[in-house]
Amino acid sequence: EVLRLLTPNHLITHSSGKKPELWEYEPPSDAADRGAGYVGLMNCGNTCYINAALQQLFMMPKLRKELLKINGYDVGKKQLLYGFQWLLSHLQESSSRYIVPRPFLDSYIDPATGKPVRAPGSGSRQDDSLGFVQTLLGRIEDESKGTGYGKTIQNFLGIGECTEMIGHQDTPYLSDHKSSNRNVRSITISLTVKDCSTIQQCLANYVKGIQISGYKGASDPGIFGQSYEGQKISILKRTSFKSLPNTLVIG
């Protein structure tokens, strides 16, 4: 009888529209049993390649901490930076099992369509996760300029430098043939995983030379040690690491 009388009074609030007090707080229905305590991202339609990359970036605590420090900027002019901070903060603080990353998706302009990802008319296409990371980090770096944190991406991830070397099959990669080398700066590298069972094998293949037939020879003897003007020759091409970034992003 007591429960029958008390139950109706515990099912309603008496705030008359005022903000509920702490004792009235009720956690969201999806907050139960978060397992390890991490928060997931809802797939909003072929956004798995985005979600996977975002979770990897989130799991870099030093980078996350520095990005969340950025403030004092015009949100209207730096919508992607704000959307990315919104996403990182919700992944860090939310009590839900997962969040819907719509604010971030609305702020990220798909380079292929010129529209926000998942916007009406933008299509529902799958894309490359590494390409997304490269585009995202480049834009975040641009929008961070003028905030006092413009070098956050560069300071944490750094910029590695690879050297693409080309040599004739008989005199490959001669050190005195400087014009055959080309330096490429990047914060990411893309590895081929086909027929590889370990990342060590992937990296070994990345720096392994390949032979290219039918290359049109150059008249400059400085490239291959002698002139091959007008000839089609076989060359060897390989990539080596000249310097590594603080954190190497591999795709």
Side-chain angles (χ1 to χ4, degrees):
E1 180 64 23
V2 173
L3 287 177
R4 184 182 66 80
L5 294 173
L6 290 177
T7 297
N9 295 305
H10 282 271
L11 294 179
I12 61 173
T13 64
H14 303 277
S15 61
S16 300
K18 296 180 181 180
K19 184 178 179 179
E21 300 298 334
L22 290 177
W23 66 270
E24 294 174 322
Y25 170 75
E26 184 176 343
S29 59
D30 61 352
D33 187 19
R34 282 177 52 192
Y38 297 113
V39 180
L41 291 171
M42 181 179 182
N43 191 323
C44 297
N46 280 347
T47 58
C48 52
Y49 72 98
I50 293 177
N51 291 353
L54 292 174
Q55 290 284 20
Q56 289 291 327
L57 293 174
F58 173 78
M59 294 302 292
M60 298 179 181
K62 291 183 179 180
L63 176 63
R64 179 175 77 242
K65 181 179 179 180
E66 291 303 307
L67 288 172
L68 288 174
K69 286 182 180 178
I70 303 175
N71 56 30
Y73 59 87
D74 186 342
V75 175
K77 295 181 179 180
K78 301 181 184 293
Q79 294 183 10
L80 179 60
L81 175 58
Y82 178 79
F84 193 42
Q85 287 183 312
W86 176 94
L87 181 113
L88 293 176
S89 62
H90 278 71
L91 285 177
Q92 178 176 285
E93 304 295 341
S94 177
S95 60
S96 299
R97 290 181 181 177
Y98 65 89
I99 60 173
V100 181
R102 179 62 63 186
F104 170 79
L105 298 178
D106 289 343
S107 68
Y108 180 78
I109 304 300
D110 189 333
T113 64
K115 299 179 180 180
V117 178
R118 308 282 77 81
S122 65
S124 183
R125 64 188 186 87
Q126 186 71 282
D127 209 339
D128 176 63
S129 190
L130 181 61
F132 164 75
V133 169
Q134 292 171 329
T135 301
L136 173 63
L137 293 180
R139 291 180 181 176
I140 293 297
E141 189 171 31
D142 288 340
E143 291 198 5
S144 298
K145 294 177 180 177
T147 65
Y149 296 87
K151 293 186 177 180
T152 296
I153 299 294
Q154 183 175 334
N155 289 342
F156 180 76
L157 296 178
I159 297 179
E161 190 169 12
C162 292
T163 300
E164 292 184 353
M165 300 183 292
I166 297 177
H168 187 264
Q169 61 179 355
D170 296 326
T171 56
Y173 324 128
L174 296 182
S175 59
D176 57 337
H177 300 157
K178 301 298 183 182
S179 58
S180 65
N181 298 342
R182 183 170 70 93
N183 294 332
V184 179
R185 305 180 74 212
S186 177
I187 60 174
T188 65
I189 63 170
S190 180
L191 299 181
T192 300
V193 298
K194 184 178 180 180
D195 299 326
C196 295
S197 57
T198 66
I199 193 170
Q200 287 82 1
Q201 290 178 340
C202 294
L203 287 168
N205 287 340
Y206 185 80
V207 299
K208 183 179 179 181
I210 59 173
Q211 183 169 315
I212 302 176
S213 302
Y215 184 85
K216 187 176 180 180
S219 59
D220 181 6
I223 297 180
F224 301 118
Q226 68 183 81
S227 175
Y228 291 95
E229 184 176 10
Q231 303 179 44
K232 289 187 176 181
I233 60 175
S234 294
I235 64 169
L236 293 175
K237 180 179 179 181
R238 69 181 291 265
T239 299
S240 68
F241 291 103
K242 186 176 181 179
S243 63
L244 290 173
N246 298 323
T247 301
L248 182 62
V249 179
I250 298 176

